[in-house]
Amino acid sequence: MKKKKIVIALGHDALGTTLPEQHEATKHTAKAVADFIRDDYEVVITHSNGPQVGMIHTAMSEFCRIYPEYTATPTAVCSAMSQGYIGYDLQNAIRTELLGRGIYKTVSTILTQVVVDPYDEAFYHPTKIIGRVMTEAEAEEEEKKGNHVTQVEGGYRRVVAAPKPVDIVEKDAIKALVDADQVVIACGGGGIPVLAQDNKLQGASAVIEKDLAAGKLADTLDADRLVILTSVDKVCLNYGKEDEKPLDTMTVDEARKYLAAGEFDEGTMAPKIEAAIDFIGDSAIRSVLITKLNKEGKTVSGGMGTLITK
């Protein structure tokens, strides 16, 4: 019997922020991943990288400020660093958990590049804030380099575009590992954003919404289910208000209606709903589960969360 394929998108809570937090958080996350593997799913994992890539970008910027003879580190390179940094902890935590259960399975992290469209509207309206707080003089220098900045409390910070994922460069390698029954970690942080230029790939000064990349990955692999782990138990209407209404289930048509009505915040829940809509499409088989990972590493197999279907 063919195994069901599942893509798990890990949010910030599943990874932590600092180095020690991440090391501990991945141990709990590994329990949830191991539960799906125990239930005989083919598992592919993707994850956020917000705090981690911000830390890396800040550290590299500070390094170049102190040692100006060194070249500044591009955003795409910082993204690549974050994939390796998170993948290292995550794959080792999952491997340890599996071996503790008597399950022998290779866990691999794939450094993943994701193609974006150079004419994506997002490049004309960058919104994602990254890096450290700068002085006005430093901000002016950034603008002279062609970068965008925005004023924040205490100074200025860089802003970059968040274009939609178009294609996954390493998709054949990911498929080969999944077909070999390995656990794969891919498209971390939404993937390393690149522009396709003839035979070359050029890193883009951008970030990709990890939920949209997760949906693209799940679609590319023809997965049966996409599980998005986040900081809330369920998707809610009127979130944070007195008449807040948690949803146990939702159809794609309802999701489109709620999204158009502005029910979901642009920076948090909206990308998750968009990913669900794109992944499910017209399929009567595919589904998306949005839920929270608790401190014991337990997730929805017990019925919590919001299930989205056709």
Side-chain angles (χ1 to χ4, degrees):
M1 188 181 201
K2 186 181 176 183
K3 289 185 178 182
K4 287 193 174 182
K5 196 176 298 176
I6 190 168
V7 172
I8 304 173
L10 306 175
H12 164 66
D13 286 3
L15 296 173
T17 300
T18 65
L19 228 158
E21 277 184 13
Q22 178 174 297
H23 188 68
E24 286 303 309
T26 52
K27 292 179 183 177
H28 297 299
T29 301
K31 295 181 188 297
V33 173
D35 284 345
F36 283 110
I37 294 168
R38 178 202 60 204
D39 293 340
D40 215 25
Y41 281 96
E42 289 181 344
V43 175
V44 181
I45 300 156
T46 187
H47 56 79
S48 65
N49 72 341
Q52 290 84 356
V53 77
M55 177 185 68
I56 292 166
H57 188 277
T58 300
M60 299 309 291
S61 295
E62 279 296 291
F63 180 79
C64 292
R65 187 178 67 83
I66 297 169
Y67 301 101
E69 65 270 24
Y70 284 88
T71 305
T73 307
T75 305
V77 174
C78 292
S79 178
M81 289 178 173
S82 75
Q83 283 192 7
Y85 159 48
I86 295 168
Y88 168 67
D89 271 348
L90 198 51
Q91 72 180 39
N92 283 339
I94 295 169
R95 177 181 180 274
T96 299
E97 180 66 27
L98 291 176
L99 287 174
R101 300 186 187 201
I103 301 171
Y104 300 90
K105 196 180 287 281
T106 303
V107 186
S108 304
T109 299
I110 297 291
L111 201 64
T112 316
Q113 301 173 94
V114 174
V115 178
V116 296
D117 183 351
Y119 300 106
D120 191 302
E121 190 66 25
F123 282 110
Y124 303 98
H125 306 284
T127 57
K128 291 291 183 180
I129 297 175
I130 63 168
R132 65 180 179 87
V133 176
M134 299 178 287
T135 64
E136 186 173 357
E138 289 173 326
E140 287 175 357
E141 284 300 313
E142 284 295 322
E143 288 185 320
K144 286 178 184 178
K145 297 175 189 174
N147 297 324
H148 297 273
V149 300
T150 188
Q151 192 164 7
V152 297
E153 186 177 351
Y156 298 81
R157 292 179 70 186
R158 268 193 70 190
V159 285
V160 296
K164 291 186 175 181
V166 173
D167 193 19
I168 298 169
V169 178
E170 289 75 21
K171 59 189 176 187
D172 290 338
I174 297 167
K175 286 177 181 177
L177 291 174
V178 174
D179 289 345
D181 204 26
Q182 295 191 22
V183 181
V184 184
I185 301 165
C187 292
I192 304 162
V194 293
L195 303 170
Q197 300 175 342
D198 296 323
N199 293 330
K200 296 181 181 179
L201 295 173
Q202 176 67 42
S205 183
V207 296
I208 300 170
E209 286 283 1
K210 64 95 179 168
D211 295 309
L212 297 181
K216 188 71 177 177
L217 179 61
D219 181 54
T220 300
L221 296 174
D222 194 21
D224 297 280
R225 175 171 288 188
L226 170 62
V227 176
I228 301 176
L229 300 181
T230 185
S231 58
V232 294
D233 292 323
K234 297 180 181 182
V235 178
C236 296
L237 302 180
N238 305 317
Y239 181 70
K241 299 177 182 177
E242 287 185 5
D243 57 346
E244 178 178 295
K245 180 184 177 183
L247 300 174
D248 294 324
T249 60
M250 183 169 29
T251 66
V252 168
D253 287 342
E254 288 171 335
R256 289 194 184 99
K257 182 182 72 174
Y258 296 143
L259 191 64
E263 279 286 355
F264 308 121
D265 185 79
E266 284 296 326
T268 54
M269 189 56 70
K272 296 171 177 55
I273 301 300
E274 288 176 29
I277 292 169
D278 290 344
F279 169 61
I280 295 171
D282 294 323
S283 173
I285 298 172
R286 293 179 175 183
S287 63
V288 174
L289 186 60
I290 301 177
T291 190
K292 183 177 182 178
L293 184 72
N294 68 24
K295 292 182 180 179
E296 288 73 42
K298 297 296 181 184
T299 180
V300 279
S301 22
M304 296 184 297
T306 301
L307 183 65
I308 306 174
T309 59
K310 181 67 177 88

